[in-house]
Amino acid sequence: MNTFKPEDGNASDRPPSMADVAAVAGVSHQTVSRVLNDHPNVREGTRVRVLEAIKELGYRRNLAARALATAQTRTIGILTIGSEFFGPQSTVLAHRDILSP
């Protein structure tokens, strides 16, 4: 995980934020959000600058914050009883025949 290093040289232990990406790209955090969500009303030059800043800083979305904001985790849960083995792998193996055509 990259840590954000502000221009003043003080190292930080936090990962880069959307505001950090916006500052490097010279745009607002709303524009960074629009780029990340593939909104059509962003100029191509601006989109390129934001994507370059994301790559430069090593920005990654905070999935916990996104789940809280959207009320969606995009996670599938599987419950099973009676599998022969224990643990996550055995659960997937036990349901392989059910999930595949």
Side-chain angles (χ1 to χ4, degrees):
M1 169 177 55
N2 290 346
T3 55
F4 178 64
K5 303 207 179 355
E7 288 298 317
D8 63 7
N10 295 329
S12 174
D13 290 334
R14 67 177 176 80
S17 69
M18 194 180 297
D20 298 329
V21 172
V24 170
V27 298
S28 68
H29 73 278
Q30 293 96 335
T31 301
V32 175
S33 177
R34 288 183 186 108
V35 169
L36 290 171
N37 292 312
D38 205 25
H39 195 277
N41 293 343
V42 179
R43 290 184 181 137
E44 191 57 34
T46 302
R47 185 177 305 277
V48 169
R49 280 198 336 263
V50 170
L51 293 173
E52 286 174 354
I54 287 170
K55 186 175 181 179
E56 174 186 335
L57 296 175
Y59 173 79
R60 291 181 10 185
R61 284 185 172 176
N62 182 328
L63 297 180
R66 183 155 178 83
L68 287 171
T70 63
Q72 294 181 351
T73 61
R74 297 189 156 289
T75 303
I76 297 174
I78 300 174
L79 299 177
T80 182
I81 58 171
S83 64
E84 294 181 35
F85 306 105
F86 298 99
Q89 182 63 29
S90 63
T91 302
V92 172
L93 292 175
H95 286 77
R96 177 180 52 198
D97 295 336
I98 295 170
L99 297 175
S100 62

